[in-house]
């Protein structure tokens, strides 16, 4: 029997769908997936306060080899409790939310995806028209329900098909045309060469169904065809090979702009040509550019990010008259914190973090209040493309908007495995020891407030940068992020952090030692 609890990955479901030699056993079995489909249908019916027989649930999938089969099993589970299931085919995760709020008016949507994980993995993301993306507690409840016997409906629900992508793509087109003051038949991207690297995931539509019809030359785009084996590179803006691929595409074609998506298009990165090379818009740069664009639209805003953003990004955001709120890792954490800050502002209880309309994780998950706080990689790219056209109209470049962003001289992440089954107490002791070690150490200052792990600044003599040590959200390890503004500074910071941790024999310190 499947251990349903092990399928939870925060606010998503993740598991093994294809057996591989030497790999983990398959746990997204027919039985488990049918049960998850039924449990979600009952959950959605309860949320919508309507009988399951009146419920319409759309199911989309990315290009993974197991996606089609999992869709069939989910539909079987949904129909078994009397709800109606519609196969949306190849789709993006954002489209599966939008089908609940656009003219399709679905009660709920399921995206079959495991984002950037290896091809044998798969999973599900869930949306409802009322709640939007589900929270961690919702997934826990659905999986608990899936373990129990569920009532089989006297009359099975209907199963059909639906086109979820056309309304979604049309919505993006309307956004672009409206923002640029163009008529429906105009082509605002005429004269622009824009290349897309979809990594054989679900993002090829952006080039073929959006950019090209709006006049862009997409010649030189890469890996637009869906292929769940991912034969060229991992579809992931955080992956070095993937970013190298889109950088090469921009360089080789002389493109004006390059775009890369993850498998299900809820994350994105971009590339701009620069004097003698390219600028990769990922991590801090992408957040900085989005902030520079949004401040022109909204005035001063609060930018909510995850915990590993650079000090230079904070300085840049502040220089625009905005405020940086560095929170926790996890895209749901970042988005929910922005919503919380907005609610406090509206209740007149928080004037400090005003106008928190933008949340972004360094992984490429970005969300805007104007777009339902949906983490939508394609929507983020639309905002950048509109700004690109506007800059060209003014005889300027996007590069100029982030010219004052100070990048670290050195940066690295050391991922320290914890060699225990139960890591909670041990990792808590690690963090407390780090805090004690650096509290009164000359040249170092513990950053406050801090919402995750322990973050410490180092002065110019002791490394000229900062480090953050924290617990992983899902794995038995402790990531350590280190950045320095000086050559050799990272080595000094890593060495002092090693001194603080050397007594912990269940913490693998070799990745940290390699930075010393």
């Amino acid at each position: 029997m499947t251990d349903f609890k092990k399928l939870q990955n925060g606010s998503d479901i993740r598991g093994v769908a294809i057996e591989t030699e030497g790999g983990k056993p398959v746990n997204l079995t027919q039985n488990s997936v049918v049960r998850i489909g039924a449990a979600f249908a009952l959950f959605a019916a309860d949320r919508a306060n309507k009988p399951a027989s009146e419920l319409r649930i759309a199911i989309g999938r990315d290009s993974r080899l197991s996606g089609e089969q999992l869709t069939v099993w989910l539909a079987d589970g949904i129909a078994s409790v009397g709800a109606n299931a519609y196969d949306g085919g190849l789709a993006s995760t954002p489209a599966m939310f939008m089908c609940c709020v656009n003219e399709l008016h679905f009660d709920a949507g399921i995206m079959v995806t495991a984002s950037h994980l290896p091809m044998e993995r798969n999973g599900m993301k869930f949306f409802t028209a009322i709640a939007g993306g589900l929270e961690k507690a919702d997934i826990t409840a659905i999986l608990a329900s899936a373990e129990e016997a569920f009532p089989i409906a006297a009359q099975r629900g209907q199963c059909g098909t639906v086109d979820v992508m056309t309304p979604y793509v049309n919505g993006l087109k309307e956004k672009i045309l409206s923002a640029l003051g163009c008529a429906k038949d105009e082509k605002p991207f005429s004269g622009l060469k824009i290349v897309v690297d979809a990594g054989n995931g679900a993002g090829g539509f952006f080039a073929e169904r959006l950019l090209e019809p709006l006049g862009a030359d997409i010649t030189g785009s890469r890996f637009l065809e869906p292929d769940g084996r991912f034969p060229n590179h991992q579809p992931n803006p955080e992956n070095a090979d993937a970013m190298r691929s889109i950088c090469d595409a921009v360089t080789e074609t002389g493109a004006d702009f390059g775009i890369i998506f993850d498998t299900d298009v809820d994350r994105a990165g971009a590339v701009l040509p620069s004097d003698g090379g390219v600028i990769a818009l990922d991590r801090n740069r992408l957040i900085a550019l989005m902030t520079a664009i949004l401040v022109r639209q909204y005035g001063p805003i609060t930018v909510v990010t995850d915990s590993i953003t650079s000090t230079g990004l904070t300085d840049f955001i502040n220089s625009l008259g905005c405020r940086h709120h560095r929170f926790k890792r996890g895209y749901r954490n970042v988005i929910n914190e922005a919503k919380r800050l907005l609610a406090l502002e509206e209740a007149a209880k928080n004037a400090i973090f005003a106008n928190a309309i933008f949340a972004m994780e360094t992984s490429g998950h970005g969300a805007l209040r104007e777009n339902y706080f949906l983490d939508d990689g394609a929507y983020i790219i639309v905002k950048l493309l509109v700004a690109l056209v506007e800059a060209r109209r003014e005889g300027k470049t996007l590069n100029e908007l982030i010219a004052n962003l100070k990048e670290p001289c050195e940066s690295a992440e050391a991922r320290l495995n914890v060699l225990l089954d139960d890591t909670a107490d041990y990792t808590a002791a690690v963090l407390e020891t780090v805090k004690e070690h650096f509290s009164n150490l000359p040249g170092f200052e513990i950053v406050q407030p801090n919402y995750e792990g322990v973050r410490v600044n180092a002065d110019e003599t002791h490394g000229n940068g900062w480090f953050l040590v924290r617990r992983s959200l899902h794995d038995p390890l402790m990531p350590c992020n280190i950045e320095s503004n000086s050559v050799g500074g990272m080595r000094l910071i890593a060495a002092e952090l090693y001194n603080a941790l050397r007594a912990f024999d269940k913490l693998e310190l070799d990745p940290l030692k390699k930075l010393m």
Side-chain angles (χ1 to χ4, degrees):
M1 291 291 292
T2 297
D3 184 346
F4 283 85
K5 294 184 183 66
K6 291 185 177 180
L7 293 175
Q8 181 158 6
N9 184 70
S11 56
D12 304 337
I13 285 174
R14 299 271 177 87
V16 179
I18 296 176
E19 185 176 357
T20 57
E21 185 176 352
K24 295 181 179 180
V26 172
N27 54 9
L28 289 176
T29 62
Q30 179 176 1
N31 178 65
S32 65
V33 175
V34 168
R35 285 177 168 272
I36 289 169
F40 175 64
L42 295 173
F43 172 90
D46 181 67
R47 281 292 177 93
N49 194 27
K50 63 170 62 174
S53 60
E54 297 180 11
L55 208 67
R56 297 166 63 247
I57 300 176
I59 310 169
R61 60 182 181 273
D62 66 21
S63 59
R64 291 174 185 276
L65 300 178
S66 57
E68 190 169 354
Q69 182 63 77
L70 265 60
T71 297
V72 171
W73 291 341
L74 283 168
D76 186 24
I78 291 167
S80 70
V81 295
N84 306 294
Y86 295 81
D87 184 349
L90 187 74
S92 71
T93 291
M96 297 316 299
F97 165 74
M98 291 304 295
C99 77
C100 298
V101 296
N102 62 22
E103 62 265 35
L104 294 176
H105 297 300
F106 274 88
D107 297 287
I110 304 175
M111 180 65 180
V112 179
T113 182
S115 188
H116 61 280
L117 293 182
M119 54 86 67
E120 71 272 12
R121 303 289 299 276
N122 216 325
M124 298 136 213
K125 298 180 180 181
F126 302 88
F127 304 94
T128 68
I130 296 172
L134 297 195
E135 301 291 342
K136 181 178 179 180
D138 299 326
I139 301 301
T140 301
I142 289 168
L143 289 174
S145 176
E147 286 187 308
E148 306 296 329
F150 54 87
I152 303 297
Q155 182 172 345
R156 283 178 61 88
Q158 297 179 352
C159 291
T161 61
V162 64
D163 176 5
V164 296
M165 289 304 293
T166 294
Y168 173 72
V169 171
N170 288 342
L172 294 178
K173 284 181 181 177
E174 291 170 7
K175 174 69 179 179
I176 292 167
L177 294 171
S178 175
L180 293 172
C182 296
K184 289 185 177 181
D185 58 348
E186 288 189 70
K187 298 182 181 298
F189 298 149
S190 293
L192 285 171
K193 178 180 278 294
I194 305 174
V195 292
V196 175
D197 186 327
N200 303 112
F205 77 90
F206 197 87
E208 297 167 337
R209 300 186 61 182
L210 189 70
L211 296 178
E212 196 168 38
L214 291 178
D217 178 359
I218 63 169
T219 306
S221 291
R222 298 182 170 190
F223 319 132
L224 304 183
E225 60 285 350
D227 187 338
R229 299 167 299 166
F230 309 126
N232 294 291
H233 62 69
Q234 189 182 96
N236 180 8
E238 286 191 293
N239 178 268
D241 290 337
M243 286 306 299
R244 192 177 303 114
S245 175
I246 187 58
C247 286
D248 288 346
V250 171
T251 300
E252 293 168 10
T253 64
D256 299 293
F257 196 75
I259 302 163
I260 185 167
F261 293 115
D262 74 339
T263 320
D264 60 322
V265 201
D266 61 358
R267 294 189 294 129
V271 175
L272 285 171
S274 183
D275 294 338
V278 296
I279 297 176
L281 296 174
D282 55 357
R283 300 176 66 85
N284 294 291
R285 292 190 194 100
L286 185 55
I287 297 170
L289 183 55
M290 281 295 298
T291 305
I293 291 168
L294 291 170
V295 75
R296 293 184 169 193
Q297 181 179 354
Y298 291 104
I301 64 172
T302 293
V303 180
V304 182
T305 73
D306 60 355
S307 58
I308 64 171
T309 47
S310 295
T311 303
L313 177 64
T314 301
D315 294 340
F316 178 82
I317 291 172
N318 292 343
S319 74
L320 297 175
C322 299
R323 189 177 182 100
H324 184 194
H325 183 63
R326 190 186 289 118
F327 196 57
K328 300 177 182 178
R329 290 283 279 172
Y331 72 97
R332 294 299 304 176
N333 289 331
V334 173
I335 292 170
N336 286 343
E337 179 68 359
K339 292 179 178 179
R340 186 185 74 84
L341 294 177
L342 277 175
L344 286 175
E345 181 188 359
E346 290 170 1
K349 295 180 180 179
N350 182 9
I352 298 176
F353 296 106
N355 212 17
I357 60 164
F358 173 48
M360 193 163 210
E361 195 183 32
T362 47
S363 65
H365 281 287
L368 294 159
R369 180 179 61 179
E370 69 181 52
N371 191 42
Y372 303 93
F373 270 123
L374 174 66
D375 51 318
D376 183 345
Y379 194 89
I380 294 295
I381 295 299
V382 162
K383 298 291 286 187
L384 298 183
L385 289 173
V386 168
L388 175 65
V389 174
E390 290 175 337
R392 285 170 66 90
R393 288 175 176 176
E394 299 170 4
K396 298 179 180 180
T397 68
L398 283 185
N399 309 44
E400 296 175 51
L401 293 180
I402 55 171
N404 295 328
L405 174 66
K406 294 179 181 178
E407 298 282 4
C409 185
E410 300 175 331
S411 65
E413 181 178 76
R415 299 173 68 81
L416 313 180
N417 289 316
V418 183
L419 306 178
L420 293 168
D421 291 331
D422 187 354
T423 65
D425 291 341
Y426 195 80
T427 54
V430 169
L431 294 177
E432 188 59 34
T433 297
V434 172
K435 189 180 296 184
E436 291 177 1
H437 181 89
F438 287 95
S439 287
N440 298 304
L441 192 65
F444 294 91
E445 178 186 20
I446 294 179
V447 176
Q448 295 290 353
N450 186 61
Y451 299 92
E452 182 173 48
V454 180
R455 186 175 177 121
V456 177
N457 289 336
D459 67 15
E460 292 185 8
T461 304
H462 296 82
N464 195 21
W466 60 272
F467 75 81
L468 173 74
V469 58
R470 60 185 176 86
R471 308 181 194 189
S472 169
L473 293 176
H474 308 297
D475 301 311
L477 57 84
M478 300 192 76
C480 299
N481 294 87
I482 305 176
E483 289 190 359
S484 174
N485 297 316
S486 303
V487 175
M490 189 169 65
R491 178 181 59 80
L492 297 177
I493 296 172
E496 193 57 52
L497 180 57
Y498 177 80
N499 286 337
L501 298 177
R502 63 194 311 168
F504 288 91
D505 59 350
K506 300 301 181 184
L507 193 63
E508 286 192 337
L509 295 175
D510 284 348
L512 187 60
K513 290 172 68 175
K514 291 178 181 178
L515 302 180
M516 294 165 52

